[in-house]
PDB file of all heavy atoms in Angstrom:
ATOM      1  N   PHE A 190     -11.926   0.762   8.839  1.00 93.00           N
ATOM      2  CA  PHE A 190     -12.194  -0.663   9.066  1.00 93.00           C
ATOM      3  C   PHE A 190     -12.094  -1.029  10.541  1.00 93.00           C
ATOM      4  O   PHE A 190     -12.973  -1.700  11.093  1.00 93.00           O
ATOM      5  CB  PHE A 190     -11.222  -1.503   8.237  1.00 93.00           C
ATOM      6  CG  PHE A 190     -11.385  -2.987   8.415  1.00 93.00           C
ATOM      7  CD1 PHE A 190     -12.607  -3.592   8.151  1.00 93.00           C
ATOM      8  CD2 PHE A 190     -10.326  -3.772   8.837  1.00 93.00           C
ATOM      9  CE1 PHE A 190     -12.763  -4.964   8.308  1.00 93.00           C
ATOM     10  CE2 PHE A 190     -10.476  -5.145   9.001  1.00 93.00           C
ATOM     11  CZ  PHE A 190     -11.699  -5.739   8.739  1.00 93.00           C
ATOM     12  N   GLY A 191     -11.018  -0.577  11.190  1.00 92.00           N
ATOM     13  CA  GLY A 191     -10.841  -0.891  12.602  1.00 92.00           C
ATOM     14  C   GLY A 191     -11.966  -0.322  13.453  1.00 92.00           C
ATOM     15  O   GLY A 191     -12.495  -0.996  14.334  1.00 92.00           O
ATOM     16  N   GLY A 192     -12.328   0.916  13.162  1.00 92.00           N
ATOM     17  CA  GLY A 192     -13.400   1.537  13.930  1.00 92.00           C
ATOM     18  C   GLY A 192     -14.724   0.836  13.745  1.00 92.00           C
ATOM     19  O   GLY A 192     -15.456   0.613  14.718  1.00 92.00           O
ATOM     20  N   LEU A 193     -15.054   0.457  12.506  1.00 94.00           N
ATOM     21  CA  LEU A 193     -16.341  -0.175  12.227  1.00 94.00           C
ATOM     22  C   LEU A 193     -16.407  -1.610  12.739  1.00 94.00           C
ATOM     23  O   LEU A 193     -17.378  -2.002  13.396  1.00 94.00           O
ATOM     24  CB  LEU A 193     -16.631  -0.152  10.722  1.00 94.00           C
ATOM     25  CG  LEU A 193     -17.012   1.196  10.124  1.00 94.00           C
ATOM     26  CD1 LEU A 193     -17.136   1.085   8.608  1.00 94.00           C
ATOM     27  CD2 LEU A 193     -18.325   1.703  10.723  1.00 94.00           C
ATOM     28  N   ARG A 194     -15.398  -2.405  12.442  1.00 94.00           N
ATOM     29  CA  ARG A 194     -15.478  -3.833  12.784  1.00 94.00           C
ATOM     30  C   ARG A 194     -15.486  -4.058  14.294  1.00 94.00           C
ATOM     31  O   ARG A 194     -16.177  -4.952  14.790  1.00 94.00           O
ATOM     32  CB  ARG A 194     -14.333  -4.612  12.133  1.00 94.00           C
ATOM     33  CG  ARG A 194     -12.960  -4.425  12.766  1.00 94.00           C
ATOM     34  CD  ARG A 194     -11.896  -5.210  12.023  1.00 94.00           C
ATOM     35  NE  ARG A 194     -10.578  -5.047  12.610  1.00 94.00           N
ATOM     36  CZ  ARG A 194      -9.997  -5.945  13.414  1.00 94.00           C
ATOM     37  NH1 ARG A 194     -10.631  -7.061  13.724  1.00 94.00           N
ATOM     38  NH2 ARG A 194      -8.792  -5.730  13.895  1.00 94.00           N
ATOM     39  N   ILE A 195     -14.731  -3.247  15.035  1.00 92.00           N
ATOM     40  CA  ILE A 195     -14.679  -3.400  16.484  1.00 92.00           C
ATOM     41  C   ILE A 195     -15.810  -2.621  17.151  1.00 92.00           C
ATOM     42  O   ILE A 195     -16.453  -3.112  18.080  1.00 92.00           O
ATOM     43  CB  ILE A 195     -13.318  -2.944  17.027  1.00 92.00           C
ATOM     44  CG1 ILE A 195     -12.188  -3.772  16.384  1.00 92.00           C
ATOM     45  CG2 ILE A 195     -13.263  -3.089  18.540  1.00 92.00           C
ATOM     46  CD1 ILE A 195     -10.792  -3.247  16.681  1.00 92.00           C
ATOM     47  N   GLY A 196     -16.054  -1.415  16.643  1.00 92.00           N
ATOM     48  CA  GLY A 196     -17.099  -0.592  17.233  1.00 92.00           C
ATOM     49  C   GLY A 196     -18.491  -1.201  17.101  1.00 92.00           C
ATOM     50  O   GLY A 196     -19.333  -1.053  17.992  1.00 92.00           O
ATOM     51  N   LEU A 197     -18.739  -1.903  15.999  1.00 94.00           N
ATOM     52  CA  LEU A 197     -20.053  -2.507  15.772  1.00 94.00           C
ATOM     53  C   LEU A 197     -20.204  -3.885  16.424  1.00 94.00           C
ATOM     54  O   LEU A 197     -21.313  -4.422  16.487  1.00 94.00           O
ATOM     55  CB  LEU A 197     -20.318  -2.640  14.262  1.00 94.00           C
ATOM     56  CG  LEU A 197     -20.578  -1.348  13.487  1.00 94.00           C
ATOM     57  CD1 LEU A 197     -20.619  -1.637  11.986  1.00 94.00           C
ATOM     58  CD2 LEU A 197     -21.887  -0.709  13.932  1.00 94.00           C
ATOM     59  N   TYR A 198     -19.096  -4.470  16.877  1.00 94.00           N
ATOM     60  CA  TYR A 198     -19.115  -5.852  17.361  1.00 94.00           C
ATOM     61  C   TYR A 198     -20.097  -6.058  18.518  1.00 94.00           C
ATOM     62  O   TYR A 198     -20.937  -6.961  18.471  1.00 94.00           O
ATOM     63  CB  TYR A 198     -17.709  -6.276  17.780  1.00 94.00           C
ATOM     64  CG  TYR A 198     -17.629  -7.662  18.375  1.00 94.00           C
ATOM     65  CD1 TYR A 198     -17.864  -8.799  17.603  1.00 94.00           C
ATOM     66  CD2 TYR A 198     -17.316  -7.841  19.720  1.00 94.00           C
ATOM     67  CE1 TYR A 198     -17.789 -10.069  18.147  1.00 94.00           C
ATOM     68  CE2 TYR A 198     -17.230  -9.102  20.279  1.00 94.00           C
ATOM     69  CZ  TYR A 198     -17.464 -10.222  19.486  1.00 94.00           C
ATOM     70  OH  TYR A 198     -17.380 -11.481  20.033  1.00 94.00           O
ATOM     71  N   GLU A 199     -20.011  -5.237  19.562  1.00 91.00           N
ATOM     72  CA  GLU A 199     -20.911  -5.396  20.710  1.00 91.00           C
ATOM     73  C   GLU A 199     -22.372  -5.163  20.340  1.00 91.00           C
ATOM     74  O   GLU A 199     -23.236  -5.974  20.702  1.00 91.00           O
ATOM     75  CB  GLU A 199     -20.480  -4.468  21.855  1.00 91.00           C
ATOM     76  CG  GLU A 199     -19.127  -4.798  22.464  1.00 91.00           C
ATOM     77  CD  GLU A 199     -19.091  -6.150  23.155  1.00 91.00           C
ATOM     78  OE1 GLU A 199     -20.173  -6.685  23.480  1.00 91.00           O
ATOM     79  OE2 GLU A 199     -17.991  -6.681  23.363  1.00 91.00           O
ATOM     80  N   PRO A 200     -22.702  -4.064  19.618  1.00 92.00           N
ATOM     81  CA  PRO A 200     -24.111  -3.873  19.226  1.00 92.00           C
ATOM     82  C   PRO A 200     -24.665  -5.018  18.378  1.00 92.00           C
ATOM     83  O   PRO A 200     -25.806  -5.452  18.589  1.00 92.00           O
ATOM     84  CB  PRO A 200     -24.082  -2.562  18.430  1.00 92.00           C
ATOM     85  CG  PRO A 200     -22.886  -1.837  18.926  1.00 92.00           C
ATOM     86  CD  PRO A 200     -21.885  -2.897  19.239  1.00 92.00           C
ATOM     87  N   VAL A 201     -23.868  -5.499  17.420  1.00 95.00           N
ATOM     88  CA  VAL A 201     -24.335  -6.590  16.559  1.00 95.00           C
ATOM     89  C   VAL A 201     -24.469  -7.887  17.362  1.00 95.00           C
ATOM     90  O   VAL A 201     -25.436  -8.652  17.186  1.00 95.00           O
ATOM     91  CB  VAL A 201     -23.375  -6.783  15.361  1.00 95.00           C
ATOM     92  CG1 VAL A 201     -23.713  -8.057  14.589  1.00 95.00           C
ATOM     93  CG2 VAL A 201     -23.443  -5.578  14.434  1.00 95.00           C
ATOM     94  N   LYS A 202     -23.526  -8.142  18.257  1.00 94.00           N
ATOM     95  CA  LYS A 202     -23.598  -9.340  19.105  1.00 94.00           C
ATOM     96  C   LYS A 202     -24.851  -9.301  19.977  1.00 94.00           C
ATOM     97  O   LYS A 202     -25.556 -10.306  20.107  1.00 94.00           O
ATOM     98  CB  LYS A 202     -22.338  -9.440  19.974  1.00 94.00           C
ATOM     99  CG  LYS A 202     -22.249 -10.714  20.797  1.00 94.00           C
ATOM    100  CD  LYS A 202     -20.899 -10.852  21.486  1.00 94.00           C
ATOM    101  CE  LYS A 202     -20.680  -9.767  22.525  1.00 94.00           C
ATOM    102  NZ  LYS A 202     -19.443 -10.013  23.317  1.00 94.00           N
ATOM    103  N   ASN A 203     -25.139  -8.140  20.549  1.00 91.00           N
ATOM    104  CA  ASN A 203     -26.336  -7.995  21.377  1.00 91.00           C
ATOM    105  C   ASN A 203     -27.615  -8.162  20.552  1.00 91.00           C
ATOM    106  O   ASN A 203     -28.619  -8.696  21.030  1.00 91.00           O
ATOM    107  CB  ASN A 203     -26.346  -6.637  22.065  1.00 91.00           C
ATOM    108  CG  ASN A 203     -25.258  -6.512  23.110  1.00 91.00           C
ATOM    109  OD1 ASN A 203     -24.815  -7.502  23.672  1.00 91.00           O
ATOM    110  ND2 ASN A 203     -24.802  -5.289  23.365  1.00 91.00           N
ATOM    111  N   PHE A 204     -27.563  -7.705  19.284  1.00 93.00           N
ATOM    112  CA  PHE A 204     -28.708  -7.868  18.386  1.00 93.00           C
ATOM    113  C   PHE A 204     -28.979  -9.350  18.126  1.00 93.00           C
ATOM    114  O   PHE A 204     -30.140  -9.786  18.128  1.00 93.00           O
ATOM    115  CB  PHE A 204     -28.450  -7.135  17.071  1.00 93.00           C
ATOM    116  CG  PHE A 204     -29.475  -7.409  16.006  1.00 93.00           C
ATOM    117  CD1 PHE A 204     -30.713  -6.786  16.034  1.00 93.00           C
ATOM    118  CD2 PHE A 204     -29.200  -8.291  14.968  1.00 93.00           C
ATOM    119  CE1 PHE A 204     -31.667  -7.035  15.054  1.00 93.00           C
ATOM    120  CE2 PHE A 204     -30.154  -8.555  13.990  1.00 93.00           C
ATOM    121  CZ  PHE A 204     -31.382  -7.927  14.030  1.00 93.00           C
ATOM    122  N   TYR A 205     -27.905 -10.127  17.908  1.00 94.00           N
ATOM    123  CA  TYR A 205     -28.070 -11.550  17.605  1.00 94.00           C
ATOM    124  C   TYR A 205     -28.569 -12.360  18.806  1.00 94.00           C
ATOM    125  O   TYR A 205     -29.311 -13.331  18.632  1.00 94.00           O
ATOM    126  CB  TYR A 205     -26.760 -12.145  17.093  1.00 94.00           C
ATOM    127  CG  TYR A 205     -26.454 -11.778  15.648  1.00 94.00           C
ATOM    128  CD1 TYR A 205     -25.150 -11.480  15.234  1.00 94.00           C
ATOM    129  CD2 TYR A 205     -27.458 -11.744  14.689  1.00 94.00           C
ATOM    130  CE1 TYR A 205     -24.869 -11.148  13.915  1.00 94.00           C
ATOM    131  CE2 TYR A 205     -27.189 -11.405  13.369  1.00 94.00           C
ATOM    132  CZ  TYR A 205     -25.891 -11.111  12.988  1.00 94.00           C
ATOM    133  OH  TYR A 205     -25.622 -10.783  11.685  1.00 94.00           O
ATOM    134  N   VAL A 206     -28.169 -11.990  20.023  1.00 92.00           N
ATOM    135  CA  VAL A 206     -28.618 -12.757  21.196  1.00 92.00           C
ATOM    136  C   VAL A 206     -29.961 -12.259  21.717  1.00 92.00           C
ATOM    137  O   VAL A 206     -30.658 -12.976  22.429  1.00 92.00           O
ATOM    138  CB  VAL A 206     -27.565 -12.731  22.336  1.00 92.00           C
ATOM    139  CG1 VAL A 206     -26.270 -13.365  21.874  1.00 92.00           C
ATOM    140  CG2 VAL A 206     -27.317 -11.312  22.837  1.00 92.00           C
ATOM    141  N   GLY A 207     -30.317 -11.022  21.382  1.00 87.00           N
ATOM    142  CA  GLY A 207     -31.578 -10.456  21.839  1.00 87.00           C
ATOM    143  C   GLY A 207     -31.415  -9.634  23.102  1.00 87.00           C
ATOM    144  O   GLY A 207     -30.515  -9.884  23.911  1.00 87.00           O
ATOM    145  N   SER A 208     -32.281  -8.678  23.278  1.00 79.00           N
ATOM    146  CA  SER A 208     -32.156  -7.736  24.396  1.00 79.00           C
ATOM    147  C   SER A 208     -32.423  -8.382  25.753  1.00 79.00           C
ATOM    148  O   SER A 208     -31.977  -7.879  26.784  1.00 79.00           O
ATOM    149  CB  SER A 208     -33.129  -6.564  24.189  1.00 79.00           C
ATOM    150  OG  SER A 208     -34.469  -7.045  24.078  1.00 79.00           O
ATOM    151  N   ASP A 209     -33.154  -9.493  25.770  1.00 84.00           N
ATOM    152  CA  ASP A 209     -33.506 -10.140  27.039  1.00 84.00           C
ATOM    153  C   ASP A 209     -32.536 -11.246  27.429  1.00 84.00           C
ATOM    154  O   ASP A 209     -32.752 -11.936  28.426  1.00 84.00           O
ATOM    155  CB  ASP A 209     -34.925 -10.730  26.957  1.00 84.00           C
ATOM    156  CG  ASP A 209     -35.982  -9.656  26.730  1.00 84.00           C
ATOM    157  OD1 ASP A 209     -35.768  -8.525  27.211  1.00 84.00           O
ATOM    158  OD2 ASP A 209     -36.992  -9.946  26.069  1.00 84.00           O
ATOM    159  N   PHE A 210     -31.462 -11.430  26.645  1.00 85.00           N
ATOM    160  CA  PHE A 210     -30.526 -12.533  26.907  1.00 85.00           C
ATOM    161  C   PHE A 210     -29.769 -12.307  28.208  1.00 85.00           C
ATOM    162  O   PHE A 210     -29.349 -11.193  28.519  1.00 85.00           O
ATOM    163  CB  PHE A 210     -29.539 -12.659  25.745  1.00 85.00           C
ATOM    164  CG  PHE A 210     -28.523 -13.760  25.939  1.00 85.00           C
ATOM    165  CD1 PHE A 210     -28.833 -15.072  25.637  1.00 85.00           C
ATOM    166  CD2 PHE A 210     -27.256 -13.477  26.450  1.00 85.00           C
ATOM    167  CE1 PHE A 210     -27.910 -16.086  25.820  1.00 85.00           C
ATOM    168  CE2 PHE A 210     -26.318 -14.485  26.634  1.00 85.00           C
ATOM    169  CZ  PHE A 210     -26.651 -15.785  26.319  1.00 85.00           C
ATOM    170  N   VAL A 211     -29.598 -13.387  28.992  1.00 83.00           N
ATOM    171  CA  VAL A 211     -28.851 -13.344  30.245  1.00 83.00           C
ATOM    172  C   VAL A 211     -27.830 -14.474  30.246  1.00 83.00           C
ATOM    173  O   VAL A 211     -28.135 -15.602  29.851  1.00 83.00           O
ATOM    174  CB  VAL A 211     -29.781 -13.489  31.466  1.00 83.00           C
ATOM    175  CG1 VAL A 211     -28.975 -13.514  32.753  1.00 83.00           C
ATOM    176  CG2 VAL A 211     -30.813 -12.362  31.505  1.00 83.00           C
ATOM    177  N   GLY A 212     -26.599 -14.168  30.674  1.00 84.00           N
ATOM    178  CA  GLY A 212     -25.551 -15.191  30.745  1.00 84.00           C
ATOM    179  C   GLY A 212     -24.436 -14.947  29.751  1.00 84.00           C
ATOM    180  O   GLY A 212     -24.375 -13.888  29.114  1.00 84.00           O
ATOM    181  N   ASP A 213     -23.534 -15.929  29.613  1.00 88.00           N
ATOM    182  CA  ASP A 213     -22.420 -15.816  28.678  1.00 88.00           C
ATOM    183  C   ASP A 213     -22.925 -15.965  27.248  1.00 88.00           C
ATOM    184  O   ASP A 213     -23.671 -16.903  26.939  1.00 88.00           O
ATOM    185  CB  ASP A 213     -21.372 -16.901  28.959  1.00 88.00           C
ATOM    186  CG  ASP A 213     -20.649 -16.670  30.278  1.00 88.00           C
ATOM    187  OD1 ASP A 213     -20.670 -15.523  30.760  1.00 88.00           O
ATOM    188  OD2 ASP A 213     -20.067 -17.633  30.822  1.00 88.00           O
ATOM    189  N   VAL A 214     -22.505 -15.068  26.385  1.00 90.00           N
ATOM    190  CA  VAL A 214     -22.901 -15.129  24.975  1.00 90.00           C
ATOM    191  C   VAL A 214     -22.270 -16.363  24.330  1.00 90.00           C
ATOM    192  O   VAL A 214     -21.066 -16.598  24.467  1.00 90.00           O
ATOM    193  CB  VAL A 214     -22.445 -13.862  24.222  1.00 90.00           C
ATOM    194  CG1 VAL A 214     -22.787 -13.964  22.740  1.00 90.00           C
ATOM    195  CG2 VAL A 214     -23.095 -12.624  24.840  1.00 90.00           C
ATOM    196  N   PRO A 215     -23.044 -17.190  23.615  1.00 93.00           N
ATOM    197  CA  PRO A 215     -22.490 -18.389  22.970  1.00 93.00           C
ATOM    198  C   PRO A 215     -21.421 -18.022  21.936  1.00 93.00           C
ATOM    199  O   PRO A 215     -21.512 -16.969  21.284  1.00 93.00           O
ATOM    200  CB  PRO A 215     -23.708 -19.024  22.287  1.00 93.00           C
ATOM    201  CG  PRO A 215     -24.894 -18.465  23.006  1.00 93.00           C
ATOM    202  CD  PRO A 215     -24.505 -17.086  23.419  1.00 93.00           C
TER     203      PRO A 215
END
Side-chain angles (χ1 to χ4, degrees):
F190 179 58
L193 287 175
R194 74 182 180 101
I195 301 170
L197 289 172
Y198 176 68
E199 294 295 341
V201 170
K202 185 172 65 172
N203 292 334
F204 171 78
Y205 284 141
V206 298
S208 58
D209 298 329
F210 179 82
V211 177
D213 291 340
V214 177

